[in-house]
Structure formats: structure tokens, C-alpha cells
Amino acid sequence: MEFRLRLVTSIALVLSLSGCSFVEEAFLSAGEKLNRAFPPSPQVRVAEETLQDLLSANDSFAVRYKVLREIRGLTCSQGMEISRFDSVEKIKTRPVSRECLNAQDEILLRYLQVKQIERRLSMPALRPMIELGAPVLIPSGGSAMSAISAAAAGVAVLQDGRGGIHSIEIPGGKLIAKLATNGRYSFSEALLSPNGRVLAISSGSREGLSFYDTETAELLWQDNTLRRLLVWLPRISAALATDANGKTVVVDLLNGTFSADSSPAESPQWGFELSDGSVAIGAGRSFSSVAYERSDNVIQARVVKSYALKSGYGVSPSKPTPIFSGRALLFVGNKELLAVDLQSGEESAWKTGSLLSSRYAKLSENQILVDSLFRSSGTQSWVLNLEAKTIAPAMLPSEGVGTISGLDGRPGFIRRGGGGIWFGLKVEQGKEESLQAFLDSRNLEEQMQKLNSMSPQMGSSSASVYETSPPPPFATIAKDAVLEGVGVYESTNPLPKGKGSGNRPGIVDIAVRPVSKPVILVLSSYEAVTWRITQGRENIKLILLSSYYPSTVEGSGDTRTVVMNAGHAYDRSSPSFARLRQAVMAQTGKDLQIFQGSYNGAKFSVGGK
């Protein structure tokens, strides 16, 4: 008994002389000792300070982060014996792999950055959502190119002509923040969170997907394994994205983990939440409604129903719009608008011919705003009543400038013109008439205009002189074909180093699905791309190729390829896309009917019955 008392007294004396740090370190785990000897990177420590209030709480986030730190220490101390009485100073002298520490720091940093996004996603709207009225111009010095909006907040993001991105209040237009992006991004694929606090934007194959705080302009997270955000899912603290191969990834913002999506969508092009809480996700003529739920802290997907459009030929890759109080989805088809009833699967069609634009904005559950494309009278905006099948002229300012776009998840429209961007909802209308009567009348006007342009012009002699322009070189081939285009800035499948021209030459695969009409394929890129036809080359009548750096086509067999000097285009709202359309019309006499554009990509499919 006396011996034990002396031993305890001796240990107590040693501990008191060595200081409290020794006592504390004696009770640290081996992993935490290594973490203190080799602290995480400065970026990780800054992120820890930002989330200090959460890390100090005893919740699932703090517990999981503590586990991740322990894993870091244990992983990088494998093969190294650390005893209870080894001090942190002693461990500092041990040979620890810097490569291992850096890899584990990346895991910690991603978890902290993802948590910052989850935290903002759970906050109230950055600015309250105010219902829009008559069109309001937000001046931008004439440099505004396009804009997107939040679904449940009075926030929008503008892109200017110099590549800058600004968050603003709507409808007032007050500046919130200027985002310092790298200038290499695809604004057509940008997506605001419903509360307007986070902007997700594709930043190219090197940076991948970037997330910005729209209030502070802070770059929250950047992940080069992701390419595009499809839809935010704030109800379950998650999001759906696509990876470099176009596959869908479920991003769990609560746990900071990625998982492959079990829904049937292959290389999806769009997604959004439906009124019943499920998610519509799809590409081309196929889509599914999928219910995503969090159970036992794991996100699970259940396919509610799958759909495949049967009527018409081809659809635009742009996101469809819920109409009729969420009972149906509206698609842009080839010279028609198509709607699918989500309950019955029945399809409806509004024949628009080539006289109405494929871009529109939702004004109400049964009305959309759309432009006409008449050569005789220029561009005019119209209000189309889908339920009554009637059309009326829309009295809008700045007619003929810019392209109409819809707001995300709410009624209203965006339009460039007049030195800025117009936001609005209430539209004054003229006299209403049936859609069919309107189209018949305008078709007749167009035909008369053509006949008048072909009338004989009298010269100095008594003989009649007919001044006619030569027909486009491929007008005959295009007569019974569908013109479908694919545009990228660059490929996500690079060629081996030293091969190909440009900065980042790569390969893009094109699969042509079975078709009822042959296809004229228009391929456009900035970087040099080797376009590989992997399927259905017998369905292609002609290939029109345009790029900044020289591109090529493989696997097309005997199909002729014509190189156009029309630059590159992947954004339908850009001036470069307008130039590409003009070049296509000059070659074929017809406009592009279907176009898929993305900043980068590796695989696309076209055609389909």
C-alpha cells in the first residue's frame, strides 16, 4: 500500500513539473497528436475559423468533422508507432508524407466548403421576392449580355459584355456584389440557389464547377470533378450535378459526400423541382420524375414515373417549363410547342411553324411571351394563350433588341435592350385572335413578300431583267432534312499532349439516334475538337463544321463535311450564336432547328424519332 502511494505521488510530481501541456497531450489520440504536430493547411484553418460556431457545437457536423480529422492523423501515421507519452514536439521529428497530408487536407477542405454552401442554402432569401409588374429597365451602360434569376428571392445575376458577373436586387436593380470570376465560364449553364445566396457556374475543365456567395462575392468552393449544377434541392440539403462524363451525381451538402445518381437519366441536360416535391430530370425526348428523400442520413432516389415524347420531331435541349398549375411540362419542338401531362402522359401540340421563336417566357399558368421572326415586319413580341390557343400582340418597350428569356421557377421575363436588361411580368396586349388564323395570315404575307421580291426589274433595254440571288449551295439537301447543332468551347476529353492545335484540343463523341428525317449536323467549337461520329452516320446528309482552331470529323464515312468560317458558339443568347445561324442559313437556306450548347463536354446525342 505504501509503495502504491509513493508511485502515485511520484507521477503527480512529474506531471506538475512538466506542465499542463504534457497532461493534455497524454490524453490525445494518436491521430490528433499527429494533426497538432502537422496542422492542416492555412486554407483549412481559415475555413475552420469561418465555421467555428458550428464546429464548437455538439451536432452531427462537428462530430463528423472530428472523425475526418482523426482519419487524417491515422492515415498519415500508418507504420508509425505513437505512444500515449509521445509529445507533439517529438512527433514533429518523425518522417510524415507531405503528399498524404495534402490529400487529407483536400478532404477536410471540401467538407468545410460544402458545409458553407449548405449553411447558406438553409438561410432565408437574400432579398425578399417581390412580384414583378410592368417591364422595368435596369441600366448597365449598354454592356449587359444576359441574366438569370432566383426562384424564391428578389435576386438576379447579370453577365456584362466584358465577362463580369454582378448580383443585383430585382426589380429595383440595386447592385449587391461584383463577382471576381476567372472569365472562363459558361453563363448559359449558371444556376442561382432558390434563396439567391449561392451562384453555381461552370468554369471550364480545369476549375470545374465554382460556387460563389452572391452577397460577399466570396468563392466558396471549386470542384474540378463536377461540370454543371442541374438543380438545387434545399429541402434535403443537396443538389444534383453532372461530372466530366455527363453522369448525374448527388451532392450531399449535409455530409459533404458525392454519390452516383440511381435515376435513369443518361447525360441529363436539365432538372428542376416539381410542385409535388419530386424532381423532373431529363435530356432530349426522355425524362423522369424522381423523388429524392433523406433517410438515416443517406439520400435515396425513387423513380416516380418515366416519360418519352412520341409526337413531333426533336425537342430543344433547353429546360422545359411547368404549366397548367404544374400538371404539364412545356417543351420546344421542331416548329411546334409540345406539352406532356404529368399524370396521364398525354401530349398536346401547338403548331407554330417557323414563324415563332423557340425562346419564350412564362407569364402565367396558361400564357407565354414569345417573339415572331417575320422577314417582312421584323421582330414582334406576342402573348400566346396555350389553353385558348389564341395570340395577341404584346406592347413592349425596346422591340427588336435582345432575346426573351424566362425567369427561373417563377413567372416573368428578361430581355436585353435599351442600354440594359428589362425585367417584367405584366404585359399590355393588343387584339386577340386564334393562333391558327394568325399563322395562316402571316404565312400568306411571307409568300407575297417572296413573290414581290422576284418581280421583274426593268433595265434600260426593253427586255425584262430578273435580279435573283443564287440559291444556297445546299438548299436541295436541306429541303427534307432537320438541322441540328452541337456547340462547345472545349472538350472535356483531351487529346494526348502534343497532338492537335490550339490550347486544349480534345475529342467529342456524337451519337445519332434513329430518325424519321435525315439530319444536317452543325458542329461548332472554340478549341480544336475531333468530332467522332460513334453511331448513326447513315442518318447524316451533311456536316457543317465551324471552329476557331481547326477541327476535324471522324467516323462520318462518305458524308460530306463543309468547313464554315463562322467562329464558334455554345450559348444561344450570344452574338456568336447569331453569326453561326446566319452562316448556316447562307449554306442551306434554313435556320438551325435544334441546338445543344455547353461550355465543355465529351458526349452528345442528336436525332431521335
Side-chain angles (χ1 to χ4, degrees):
M1 183 69 180
E2 184 179 351
F3 172 74
R4 290 182 179 177
L5 182 60
R6 289 179 179 176
L7 179 62
V8 170
T9 303
S10 300
I11 293 174
L13 180 62
V14 170
L15 292 177
S16 64
L17 292 174
S18 60
C20 60
S21 62
F22 180 84
V23 177
E24 180 190 2
E25 289 177 7
F27 290 95
L28 292 177
S29 67
E32 187 56 29
K33 281 187 177 182
L34 186 133
N35 286 332
R36 294 198 180 188
F38 300 93
S41 67
Q43 295 91 336
V44 172
R45 297 201 294 274
V46 168
E48 287 177 342
E49 290 176 9
T50 303
L51 295 170
Q52 187 57 48
D53 59 328
L54 295 182
L55 289 172
S56 59
N58 188 24
D59 62 4
S60 59
F61 166 70
V63 171
R64 177 169 172 76
Y65 187 68
K66 187 176 181 180
V67 171
L68 290 175
R69 278 184 61 101
E70 184 69 14
I71 291 174
R72 175 187 187 268
L74 293 176
T75 301
C76 296
S77 62
Q78 286 184 4
M80 182 189 307
E81 185 177 344
I82 299 177
S83 73
R84 179 174 295 277
F85 296 105
D86 282 340
S87 68
V88 170
E89 287 300 319
K90 182 178 180 181
I91 296 172
K92 287 181 180 179
T93 65
R94 303 282 184 87
V96 176
S97 167
R98 177 52 59 183
E99 185 177 343
C100 176
L101 293 172
N102 291 340
Q104 291 298 312
D105 284 350
E106 286 297 317
I107 295 173
L108 294 180
L109 186 60
R110 184 174 82 170
Y111 183 62
L112 293 170
Q113 290 175 329
V114 169
K115 187 61 182 180
Q116 291 189 59
I117 295 172
E118 188 272 331
R119 192 180 197 187
R120 286 163 174 78
L121 201 62
S122 64
M123 291 179 177
L126 178 59
R127 298 290 187 272
M129 186 169 74
I130 301 172
E131 183 174 313
L132 301 177
V136 174
L137 176 65
I138 297 178
S140 62
S143 63
M145 298 291 293
S146 52
I148 58 173
S149 63
V155 178
V157 169
L158 305 183
Q159 175 200 29
D160 65 34
R162 295 177 294 276
I165 296 180
H166 318 285
S167 56
I168 63 167
E169 298 176 2
I170 56 171
K174 182 179 178 180
L175 177 69
I176 299 174
K178 293 184 178 181
L179 280 63
T181 67
N182 61 6
R184 288 172 47 80
Y185 58 81
S186 174
F187 194 77
S188 62
E189 297 177 350
L191 190 64
L192 262 175
S193 63
N195 63 3
R197 291 185 177 273
V198 183
L199 173 70
I201 189 166
S202 177
S203 301
S205 58
R206 293 182 180 177
E207 292 82 11
L209 193 58
S210 301
F211 295 81
Y212 290 89
D213 184 315
T214 57
E215 185 177 28
T216 65
E218 178 187 359
L219 176 61
L220 300 173
W221 178 37
Q222 198 168 62
D223 194 296
N224 60 11
T225 67
L226 301 177
R227 287 295 176 266
R228 178 185 180 189
L229 196 75
L230 292 173
V231 57
W232 294 99
L233 302 174
R235 182 178 57 83
I236 58 171
S237 300
L240 297 182
T242 57
D243 62 15
N245 297 316
K247 302 298 182 183
T248 316
V249 176
V250 179
V251 182
D252 188 336
L253 299 173
L254 201 59
N255 296 317
T257 57
F258 296 174
S259 61
D261 185 22
S262 58
S263 68
E266 184 177 348
S267 300
Q269 296 168 331
W270 51 263
F272 56 89
E273 278 201 280
L274 297 170
S275 56
D276 64 358
S278 65
V279 176
I281 181 170
R285 299 171 63 81
S286 301
F287 69 97
S288 299
S289 60
V290 183
Y292 292 91
E293 298 292 343
R294 187 181 290 276
S295 177
D296 296 329
N297 208 24
V298 175
I299 297 174
Q300 299 177 341
R302 175 178 57 86
V303 177
V304 179
K305 194 170 183 178
S306 295
Y307 306 82
L309 274 68
K310 300 178 180 63
S311 57
Y313 176 84
V315 293
S316 167
S318 57
K319 185 188 300 184
T321 303
I323 57 172
F324 302 153
S325 301
R327 298 193 311 271
L329 295 186
L330 183 67
F331 293 81
V332 174
N334 177 29
K335 299 184 179 181
E336 63 189 350
L337 296 171
L338 301 169
V340 179
D341 188 294
L342 295 176
Q343 290 295 324
S344 64
E346 293 181 0
E347 300 177 17
S348 306
W350 294 262
K351 300 294 183 182
T352 59
S354 58
L355 302 181
L356 294 180
S357 166
S358 61
R359 299 295 292 267
Y360 66 85
K362 176 180 175 179
L363 298 179
S364 69
E365 293 303 321
N366 62 356
Q367 288 185 324
I368 62 172
L369 182 68
V370 65
D371 281 340
S372 61
L373 302 171
F374 305 131
R375 287 189 292 269
S376 57
S377 57
T379 302
Q380 164 71 43
S381 298
W382 306 83
V383 175
L384 175 58
N385 189 313
L386 300 169
E387 200 166 39
K389 294 188 176 181
T390 58
I391 194 167
M395 311 305 179
L396 291 178
S398 236
E399 282 295 317
V401 181
T403 305
I404 288 174
S405 298
L407 300 182
D408 190 17
R410 59 183 289 194
F413 68 90
I414 302 170
R415 187 169 196 173
R416 180 168 59 90
I421 296 282
W422 295 86
F423 288 85
L425 174 62
K426 307 297 183 184
V427 177
E428 185 180 349
Q429 302 179 34
K431 184 179 179 181
E432 195 174 55
E433 63 179 309
S434 80
L435 176 61
Q436 190 57 56
F438 165 83
L439 294 174
D440 290 344
S441 172
R442 294 297 172 145
N443 274 319
L444 180 60
E445 287 183 22
E446 291 290 290
Q447 291 171 12
M448 293 298 296
Q449 184 76 11
K450 288 180 181 179
L451 288 173
N452 290 336
S453 66
M454 295 174 62
S455 59
Q457 305 296 317
M458 298 304 296
S460 56
S461 65
S462 58
S464 296
V465 179
Y466 292 86
E467 296 182 357
T468 60
S469 300
F474 302 106
T476 303
I477 294 176
K479 183 178 180 182
D480 299 318
V482 173
L483 275 68
E484 188 158 355
V486 175
V488 296
Y489 183 92
E490 64 184 7
S491 168
T492 56
N493 181 16
L495 284 169
K497 191 173 182 180
K499 292 193 175 183
S501 59
N503 300 310
R504 288 170 297 280
I507 299 170
V508 175
D509 291 340
I510 301 291
V512 184
R513 297 186 294 262
V515 296
S516 56
K517 290 184 178 181
V519 173
I520 290 181
L521 195 55
V522 181
L523 303 174
S524 172
S525 67
Y526 177 82
E527 294 290 351
V529 169
T530 299
W531 300 90
R532 296 192 308 197
I533 310 301
T534 60
Q535 173 186 323
R537 69 182 184 185
E538 67 277 3
N539 297 320
I540 306 173
K541 292 189 74 172
L542 177 69
I543 298 174
L544 300 177
L545 185 64
S546 185
S547 59
Y548 183 82
Y549 288 104
S551 295
T552 57
V553 179
E554 294 181 356
S556 58
D558 296 330
T559 304
R560 183 174 179 181
T561 297
V562 176
V563 177
M564 305 185 298
N565 295 318
H568 74 285
Y570 60 89
D571 184 351
R572 295 176 67 98
S573 62
S574 66
S576 57
F577 181 69
R579 290 193 292 271
L580 180 67
R581 289 176 59 193
Q582 291 173 353
V584 170
M585 292 186 73
Q587 294 290 335
T588 65
K590 293 174 69 172
D591 196 0
L592 263 172
Q593 293 158 295
I594 302 170
F595 183 77
Q596 301 178 59
S598 176
Y599 184 87
N600 47 41
K603 295 180 180 180
F604 293 87
S605 58
V606 300
K609 295 181 179 179

